Amino acid sequence: MIELLLGIGLVVAMFVGYNIGGATTGPAFGPAVGAGVISKTLAAALMSVFFFVGAWTIGRRVVDTLGRELVFDPAIFTIEASITVLFFIGLALFVGNVFGVPASTSMTAVGAIAGLGLATNELNWAVMGEIVAWWLVAPVIGFWVSGVIGRYFYAELNRRIALIQTDGSLLTIDRSGSIPSIALGPNTTTRELVGTTVVVAIGCVMAFSSGTSNVANAIAPLVGSGALEMNPGIVIACVAVAIGAFTIARRTLDTLGNDITALPLTAAIIVSTVSAILVVGLSLIGIPASFVVIATTSIVGLGWGRATRTTTVRDSVRGTAEKPRVSVGALAADEEGEELPKIGEENPADIPSASDLFNPSTTARVLIMQNVVPLISTIGAFLVFRFVPVFGW
């Protein structure tokens, strides 16, 4: 019977890992895919490799946090309870992936474990409060840092970086000799190659950070219950994440890379940098990082900052009948590096419209679902553990 329950637990854990791959590949590599830097297949491969590295090195610490510190008594993670927690994590993430919305795996997993802790009166409120506080603060920081960059520094950064994407392949492989050699594409500049490398490298850092914080979401209950050893659990979770990255993640890559905004390469670098710095910072202090939300708010913040160059600060906050725009439409306004007028003196007609580059309905759907999905796991887990007699709490 125990072996059967453990087998069910492993299947559910893999289902969670599969949905983690679908939910986290978009925030990590969506900007690079949206900018046309890499393909979805390459993004999935890079996600798989760097997620494993992060999980194997630092991720085991977060497993201990969720499996032992978030609740006072880890003994509540019976095999039955662990399966139920993982089921609600996987179900909630699956709902987000079906809608093409990259839901926060950390918020969803912590929510399910919190539901168990609430039902058993074993929830460590001090740890929970610290985690939630950073979840509220980090997206605000991401939005405003990106907004300030978009409003005051984006034009200058774009002129200095001058990452104009050229037609044709970025690199070519010469197989005429005994040893194949790699060279720049026929139209590729060195600056374009450097910029492309930077945005992909930042995505790899985010994938690494995802491994450090999100592997726990798939295996922490089973490891905490003692039913699964740490190292085999990490390998199983990473295999499942890779499957999700190559399959269902294509929907979330479209959402963050194309549907919210068509990111120019310079904008992709900024969004990825801001998000990666915040995620790594949170991981260093032991907080399960919700980089899905951080990446989304950074994209919106950067576009808001660019769009409000057509207004003064007072008008951009209050809104006016003549200048009502607060959108991501201006992200490509200086993609060619032209000289811009001073802030507040630009002609709104010179800036692409919201409908060209910014989809408000998609953004609203993303933000709503990113809050609804964790609630599904939290409330569902609490109701089951409180009212289903089989658990006997």
Side-chain angles (χ1 to χ4, degrees):
M1 184 63 178
I2 296 297
E3 290 77 7
L4 175 61
L5 288 175
L6 178 57
I8 296 173
L10 292 176
V11 170
V12 178
M14 291 195 68
F15 178 67
V16 173
Y18 169 79
N19 283 284
I20 288 174
T24 59
T25 304
F29 292 101
V33 172
V37 173
I38 59 175
S39 66
K40 293 178 181 178
T41 300
L42 181 55
L46 293 173
M47 182 71 195
S48 303
V49 171
F50 285 93
F51 185 97
F52 174 78
V53 174
W56 190 263
T57 55
I58 303 175
R60 59 190 69 239
R61 301 178 184 178
V62 185
V63 174
D64 288 334
T65 299
L66 292 185
R68 296 183 175 91
E69 297 180 11
L70 189 57
V71 294
F72 289 113
D73 184 8
I76 65 174
F77 285 117
T78 63
I79 187 66
E80 296 88 351
S82 299
I83 291 173
T84 304
V85 167
L86 289 171
F87 170 77
F88 279 108
I89 296 172
L91 175 64
L93 291 177
F94 182 74
V95 169
N97 285 329
V98 166
F99 281 92
V101 176
S104 170
T105 55
S106 294
M107 294 174 68
T108 303
V110 172
I113 296 174
L116 171 60
L118 285 171
T120 58
N121 295 318
E122 293 290 345
L123 180 63
N124 188 331
W125 285 100
V127 174
M128 187 68 187
E130 183 181 3
I131 292 173
V132 172
W134 278 110
W135 283 349
L136 295 174
V137 171
V140 175
I141 295 174
F143 176 88
W144 283 108
V145 169
S146 299
V148 169
I149 293 174
R151 181 175 173 85
Y152 297 104
F153 304 106
Y154 183 87
E156 183 62 26
L157 286 173
N158 193 60
R159 278 191 288 266
R160 288 180 178 274
I161 298 174
L163 292 175
I164 309 300
Q165 293 174 273
T166 57
D167 296 329
S169 301
L170 186 70
L171 298 172
T172 59
I173 301 177
D174 184 4
R175 296 185 174 86
S176 59
S178 57
I179 299 177
S181 60
I182 300 176
L184 294 178
N187 300 316
T188 304
T189 64
T190 302
R191 182 166 290 181
E192 180 185 2
L193 177 63
V194 171
T196 299
T197 303
V198 169
V199 74
V200 174
I202 292 171
C204 293
V205 171
M206 294 185 71
F208 172 86
S209 300
S210 177
T212 64
S213 62
N214 287 321
V215 69
N217 303 333
I219 62 173
L222 291 175
V223 174
S225 69
L228 182 65
E229 294 295 327
M230 179 75 76
N231 289 346
I234 291 176
V235 172
I236 291 171
C238 290
V239 170
V241 167
I243 296 173
F246 277 98
T247 55
I248 199 169
R250 292 178 175 272
R251 295 175 65 90
T252 57
L253 283 168
D254 283 335
T255 298
L256 282 188
N258 298 318
D259 290 350
I260 289 180
T261 177
L263 289 178
L265 191 54
T266 303
I269 291 176
I270 294 171
V271 167
S272 298
T273 301
V274 172
S275 302
I277 290 174
L278 286 172
V279 169
V280 171
L282 290 175
S283 299
L284 288 174
I285 62 176
I287 301 297
S290 178
F291 73 80
V292 171
V293 179
I294 295 172
T296 303
T297 54
S298 295
I299 290 173
V300 177
L302 181 63
W304 177 85
R306 286 298 305 122
T308 55
R309 283 187 60 91
T310 61
T311 68
T312 64
V313 172
R314 177 178 297 179
D315 286 340
S316 69
V317 173
R318 292 181 177 178
T320 65
E322 295 78 18
K323 302 173 182 179
R325 299 184 186 188
V326 179
S327 70
V328 189
L331 276 174
D334 15 80
E335 187 61 21
E336 300 299 329
E338 72 271 13
E339 190 70 25
L340 290 180
K342 295 180 180 180
I343 293 175
E345 297 181 359
E346 293 175 307
N347 181 2
D350 294 334
I351 295 181
S353 65
S355 60
D356 292 334
L357 293 175
F358 178 65
N359 191 327
S361 64
T362 299
T363 302
R365 174 168 56 90
V366 168
L367 295 178
I368 290 173
M369 288 299 298
Q370 285 175 350
N371 288 278
V372 169
V373 169
L375 284 176
I376 294 175
S377 66
T378 304
I379 296 173
F382 171 78
L383 292 176
V384 168
F385 289 120
R386 174 57 64 89
F387 297 108
V388 177
V390 69
F391 294 102
W393 305 119

